[in-house]
Coordinates of all heavy atoms in Angstrom, one line a residue:
M902 N 0.8 -1.2 0.0 CA 0.0 0.0 0.0 C 0.9 1.3 0.0 O 1.8 1.4 0.8 CB -0.9 0.0 1.2 CG -2.0 -1.0 1.2 SD -3.3 -0.7 0.2 CE -4.2 0.5 1.1
A903 N 0.5 2.2 -0.9 CA 1.2 3.4 -0.9 C 0.3 4.4 -1.6 O -0.7 4.1 -2.1 CB 2.5 3.3 -1.7
Y904 N 0.8 5.7 -1.5 CA 0.0 6.7 -2.2 C 0.5 6.9 -3.6 O 1.7 6.6 -3.9 CB 0.1 8.1 -1.4 CG -0.7 8.1 -0.2 CD1 -0.3 7.5 1.0 CD2 -2.0 8.7 -0.2 CE1 -1.1 7.5 2.1 CE2 -2.8 8.7 0.9 CZ -2.3 8.1 2.1 OH -3.1 8.1 3.2
V905 N -0.4 7.3 -4.5 CA 0.0 7.4 -5.9 C -0.5 8.8 -6.4 O -1.6 9.2 -6.1 CB -0.7 6.3 -6.8 CG1 -0.6 6.6 -8.3 CG2 0.0 4.9 -6.5
I906 N 0.3 9.4 -7.3 CA 0.0 10.7 -7.9 C -0.6 10.5 -9.3 O 0.0 9.9 -10.1 CB 1.2 11.6 -7.9 CG1 1.8 11.8 -6.5 CG2 0.9 12.9 -8.5 CD1 3.1 12.6 -6.4
S907 N -1.8 11.0 -9.5 CA -2.5 10.8 -10.8 C -2.1 11.9 -11.8 O -1.3 12.8 -11.5 CB -4.0 10.8 -10.6 OG -4.4 12.2 -10.4
D908 N -2.7 11.8 -13.0 CA -2.5 12.7 -14.0 C -3.0 14.1 -13.7 O -2.8 15.1 -14.5 CB -3.1 12.2 -15.4 CG -2.3 11.1 -15.9 OD1 -1.1 10.8 -15.4 OD2 -2.8 10.4 -16.8
K909 N -3.7 14.3 -12.6 CA -4.2 15.6 -12.2 C -3.1 16.4 -11.7 O -3.3 17.6 -11.5 CB -5.3 15.5 -11.2 CG -6.7 14.9 -11.7 CD -7.8 15.2 -10.8 CE -7.9 14.2 -9.7 NZ -9.1 14.4 -8.9
C910 N -2.0 15.8 -11.4 CA -0.8 16.5 -10.9 C -0.4 17.7 -11.9 O -0.3 17.5 -13.1 CB 0.4 15.6 -10.8 SG 1.9 16.3 -10.3
V911 N -0.2 18.9 -11.3 CA 0.3 20.0 -12.1 C 1.7 20.3 -11.8 O 2.2 21.4 -12.2 CB -0.6 21.2 -11.9 CG1 -2.0 21.0 -12.4 CG2 -0.6 21.6 -10.4
A912 N 2.4 19.4 -11.2 CA 3.9 19.5 -10.9 C 4.2 20.8 -10.1 O 5.2 21.4 -10.4 CB 4.7 19.4 -12.2
C913 N 3.4 21.1 -9.1 CA 3.7 22.3 -8.3 C 4.8 22.0 -7.3 O 5.5 22.9 -6.8 CB 2.4 22.8 -7.6 SG 1.9 21.7 -6.3
G914 N 5.0 20.8 -6.9 CA 6.1 20.4 -6.0 C 5.8 20.5 -4.5 O 6.6 20.3 -3.7
K915 N 4.5 20.9 -4.2 CA 4.2 21.1 -2.7 C 4.3 19.8 -2.0 O 4.7 19.8 -0.8 CB 2.8 21.7 -2.6 CG 2.8 23.1 -3.0 CD 1.4 23.8 -2.8 CE 1.5 25.3 -3.1 NZ 0.2 25.9 -3.2
C916 N 3.9 18.7 -2.6 CA 4.0 17.4 -1.9 C 5.5 17.0 -1.6 O 5.8 16.5 -0.5 CB 3.4 16.3 -2.8 SG 4.1 16.2 -4.4
D917 N 6.3 17.3 -2.5 CA 7.8 17.0 -2.4 C 8.3 17.7 -1.1 O 9.2 17.2 -0.4 CB 8.5 17.5 -3.6 CG 9.9 16.9 -3.7 OD1 10.2 16.0 -2.9 OD2 10.6 17.3 -4.7
E918 N 7.8 18.9 -0.9 CA 8.3 19.7 0.3 C 7.9 19.1 1.6 O 8.7 19.2 2.6 CB 7.8 21.1 0.2 CG 8.4 21.9 -0.9 CD 7.7 23.3 -1.1 OE1 7.0 23.7 -0.2 OE2 7.9 23.9 -2.2
V919 N 6.8 18.5 1.7 CA 6.3 18.0 3.0 C 6.6 16.5 3.3 O 6.6 16.1 4.4 CB 4.8 18.2 3.2 CG1 4.4 19.6 3.1 CG2 4.0 17.4 2.1
C920 N 7.0 15.7 2.3 CA 7.3 14.3 2.5 C 8.4 14.1 3.4 O 9.5 14.6 3.1 CB 7.5 13.6 1.2 SG 7.9 11.9 1.4
P921 N 8.2 13.4 4.6 CA 9.3 13.3 5.6 C 10.3 12.3 5.2 O 11.4 12.2 5.8 CB 8.5 12.8 6.8 CG 7.3 12.1 6.3 CD 7.0 12.8 5.0
V922 N 10.1 11.5 4.2 CA 11.0 10.4 3.9 C 11.6 10.6 2.4 O 12.2 9.7 1.9 CB 10.4 9.0 4.0 CG1 10.2 8.7 5.5 CG2 9.1 8.8 3.2
E923 N 11.3 11.7 1.8 CA 11.8 12.0 0.5 C 11.4 10.9 -0.5 O 12.3 10.5 -1.3 CB 13.3 12.3 0.5 CG 13.6 13.5 1.3 CD 15.1 13.9 1.3 OE1 15.9 13.3 0.6 OE2 15.5 14.8 2.1
A924 N 10.2 10.5 -0.5 CA 9.7 9.5 -1.4 C 9.2 10.0 -2.7 O 8.9 9.3 -3.6 CB 8.5 8.7 -0.7
I925 N 9.1 11.4 -2.8 CA 8.5 12.0 -4.0 C 9.6 12.6 -4.8 O 10.5 13.3 -4.3 CB 7.5 13.1 -3.5 CG1 6.4 12.5 -2.6 CG2 6.8 13.7 -4.8 CD1 5.4 13.4 -2.1
S926 N 9.5 12.3 -6.1 CA 10.5 12.9 -7.0 C 9.8 13.4 -8.3 O 8.7 13.0 -8.6 CB 11.5 11.8 -7.4 OG 10.9 10.7 -8.0
K927 N 10.4 14.3 -8.9 CA 9.8 15.0 -10.1 C 10.1 14.2 -11.3 O 11.3 13.8 -11.6 CB 10.4 16.4 -10.2 CG 9.7 17.3 -11.2 CD 10.3 18.7 -11.2 CE 9.4 19.7 -11.9 NZ 9.1 19.3 -13.3
G928 N 9.0 13.9 -12.1 CA 9.2 13.3 -13.4 C 9.1 14.3 -14.5 O 9.2 15.5 -14.2
E929 N 8.9 13.9 -15.7 CA 8.8 14.8 -16.8 C 7.6 15.8 -16.8 O 7.8 17.0 -16.9 CB 8.8 14.1 -18.2 CG 10.2 13.7 -18.6 CD 10.2 13.2 -20.0 OE1 9.4 13.6 -20.8 OE2 11.1 12.4 -20.3
K930 N 6.4 15.2 -16.5 CA 5.2 16.0 -16.5 C 4.6 16.0 -15.1 O 3.8 16.9 -14.8 CB 4.2 15.4 -17.5 CG 4.6 15.7 -18.9 CD 3.6 15.2 -19.9 CE 4.0 15.4 -21.3 NZ 3.4 14.6 -22.3
K931 N 4.9 15.1 -14.2 CA 4.3 15.1 -12.9 C 5.2 14.5 -11.9 O 6.2 13.9 -12.3 CB 3.0 14.3 -12.9 CG 3.1 12.8 -13.2 CD 1.7 12.2 -13.3 CE 1.8 10.7 -13.4 NZ 1.9 10.0 -12.1
Y932 N 4.9 14.6 -10.6 CA 5.7 14.0 -9.6 C 5.2 12.5 -9.4 O 4.1 12.2 -9.7 CB 5.5 14.8 -8.3 CG 6.3 16.0 -8.3 CD1 6.0 17.2 -9.0 CD2 7.5 16.1 -7.5 CE1 6.7 18.3 -9.0 CE2 8.2 17.3 -7.4 CZ 7.9 18.3 -8.2 OH 8.7 19.5 -8.2
T933 N 6.1 11.7 -8.9 CA 5.8 10.3 -8.6 C 6.3 10.0 -7.2 O 7.2 10.6 -6.6 CB 6.5 9.4 -9.6 OG1 7.9 9.6 -9.6 CG2 6.0 9.6 -11.0
I934 N 5.6 9.0 -6.6 CA 5.9 8.5 -5.3 C 6.5 7.2 -5.3 O 6.0 6.3 -6.0 CB 4.6 8.5 -4.4 CG1 4.1 9.9 -4.2 CG2 5.0 7.9 -3.0 CD1 2.7 9.9 -3.5
N935 N 7.7 7.0 -4.7 CA 8.3 5.7 -4.7 C 7.6 4.8 -3.6 O 7.7 5.1 -2.4 CB 9.8 5.9 -4.3 CG 10.5 4.5 -4.3 OD1 10.0 3.5 -4.3 ND2 11.9 4.6 -4.4
P936 N 6.9 3.8 -4.1 CA 6.2 2.9 -3.1 C 7.0 2.2 -2.1 O 6.6 1.8 -1.0 CB 5.4 1.9 -4.0 CG 6.2 1.9 -5.3 CD 6.8 3.3 -5.4
E937 N 8.3 2.0 -2.4 CA 9.2 1.3 -1.5 C 9.6 2.2 -0.3 O 9.9 1.8 0.8 CB 10.5 1.0 -2.2 CG 10.3 0.2 -3.5 CD 10.1 -1.3 -3.2 OE1 10.8 -1.8 -2.4 OE2 9.2 -1.8 -3.9
T938 N 9.6 3.6 -0.6 CA 10.0 4.5 0.4 C 8.8 5.1 1.2 O 9.0 5.4 2.4 CB 10.8 5.7 -0.2 OG1 11.7 5.1 -1.1 CG2 11.5 6.5 0.8
C939 N 7.7 5.3 0.6 CA 6.5 5.9 1.2 C 6.1 5.1 2.4 O 6.0 3.9 2.5 CB 5.4 5.9 0.2 SG 3.8 6.5 0.8
V940 N 5.8 5.9 3.5 CA 5.4 5.3 4.8 C 3.9 5.6 5.1 O 3.4 5.4 6.2 CB 6.3 5.8 6.0 CG1 7.7 5.3 5.8 CG2 6.2 7.3 6.1
N941 N 3.2 6.0 4.0 CA 1.7 6.2 4.1 C 1.3 7.2 5.2 O 0.3 7.0 5.9 CB 1.0 4.8 4.4 CG 1.0 3.9 3.2 OD1 1.0 4.4 2.1 ND2 1.2 2.6 3.5
C942 N 2.1 8.2 5.3 CA 1.7 9.2 6.4 C 0.6 10.1 5.9 O -0.1 10.7 6.8 CB 2.9 10.1 6.7 SG 3.4 11.2 5.4
G943 N 0.4 10.3 4.6 CA -0.7 11.1 4.1 C -0.5 12.6 4.1 O -1.4 13.3 3.7
Q944 N 0.6 13.1 4.5 CA 0.9 14.5 4.5 C 0.8 15.1 3.2 O 0.3 16.3 3.0 CB 2.2 14.8 5.1 CG 2.3 14.5 6.6 CD 3.6 14.9 7.2 OE1 4.0 16.0 7.1 NE2 4.3 14.0 7.9
C945 N 1.3 14.4 2.1 CA 1.2 15.0 0.8 C -0.2 15.2 0.3 O -0.5 16.1 -0.5 CB 2.0 14.1 -0.2 SG 1.5 12.3 -0.2
V946 N -1.1 14.3 0.7 CA -2.5 14.4 0.2 C -3.1 15.7 0.6 O -3.8 16.4 -0.2 CB -3.3 13.2 0.9 CG1 -4.8 13.3 0.4 CG2 -2.7 11.9 0.4
D947 N -2.9 16.1 1.9 CA -3.4 17.4 2.4 C -2.8 18.6 1.7 O -3.4 19.6 1.6 CB -3.2 17.5 3.9 CG -3.9 16.4 4.7 OD1 -4.9 15.9 4.2 OD2 -3.4 16.0 5.8
E948 N -1.6 18.4 1.2 CA -0.9 19.5 0.6 C -1.3 19.8 -0.8 O -1.2 20.9 -1.4 CB 0.6 19.2 0.7 CG 1.5 20.4 0.9 CD 1.1 21.3 2.1 OE1 0.7 20.8 3.2 OE2 1.2 22.5 1.9
C949 N -1.7 18.7 -1.6 CA -1.9 18.8 -3.0 C -3.1 19.7 -3.4 O -4.2 19.4 -2.9 CB -2.1 17.4 -3.6 SG -2.4 17.4 -5.4
P950 N -2.9 20.8 -4.2 CA -4.0 21.7 -4.5 C -4.9 21.1 -5.6 O -6.0 21.5 -5.9 CB -3.3 22.9 -5.0 CG -2.0 22.4 -5.5 CD -1.6 21.2 -4.7
S951 N -4.4 20.0 -6.3 CA -5.2 19.4 -7.4 C -5.9 18.1 -7.0 O -6.5 17.5 -7.9 CB -4.2 19.1 -8.5 OG -3.4 20.2 -8.9
E952 N -5.8 17.8 -5.7 CA -6.4 16.5 -5.3 C -5.9 15.3 -6.2 O -6.7 14.5 -6.6 CB -7.9 16.6 -5.2 CG -8.4 17.6 -4.2 CD -9.9 17.6 -4.1 OE1 -10.6 16.9 -4.7 OE2 -10.4 18.5 -3.3
A953 N -4.6 15.3 -6.5 CA -4.1 14.3 -7.4 C -3.5 13.1 -6.7 O -3.2 12.1 -7.3 CB -3.0 15.0 -8.2
I954 N -3.5 13.2 -5.3 CA -2.8 12.1 -4.6 C -3.9 11.2 -3.9 O -4.7 11.8 -3.1 CB -1.8 12.6 -3.6 CG1 -0.8 13.5 -4.3 CG2 -1.0 11.4 -2.9 CD1 0.3 14.2 -3.4
A955 N -3.8 9.9 -4.1 CA -4.8 9.0 -3.5 C -4.1 7.7 -3.1 O -3.0 7.4 -3.6 CB -5.9 8.7 -4.4
E956 N -4.6 7.1 -2.1 CA -4.1 5.8 -1.6 C -4.6 4.7 -2.5 O -5.8 4.7 -2.9 CB -4.5 5.5 -0.2 CG -3.7 4.5 0.5 CD -3.9 4.4 2.0 OE1 -5.0 5.0 2.4 OE2 -3.2 3.7 2.7
V957 N -3.8 3.8 -2.9 CA -4.3 2.6 -3.7 C -4.0 1.3 -3.0 O -3.2 1.2 -2.1 CB -3.5 2.6 -5.1 CG1 -4.0 3.8 -5.9 CG2 -2.1 2.5 -4.9
Ligands
SF4_182 FE1 5.7 10.9 1.5 FE2 3.8 10.6 3.4 FE3 3.1 11.2 0.8 FE4 4.2 8.8 1.4 S1 2.2 9.6 2.1 S2 4.8 10.1 -0.3 S3 5.6 9.3 3.0 S4 4.3 12.5 2.3

């Protein structure tokens, strides 16, 4: 279980700033979350202005 960033991502980078384990990295068009590193804290979800982050 981990959080995933959808295509609604506008690459603002706010999630990257709050992630305590640096699981989020910038891709070409959107940010992605490394499921191996993510600890499911949910902090990025609250930060995202596009509601692009959801748990899967
Ligand atoms: Fe980082 Fe927490 Fe978001 Fe996982 S849920 S990517 S640990 S901020």
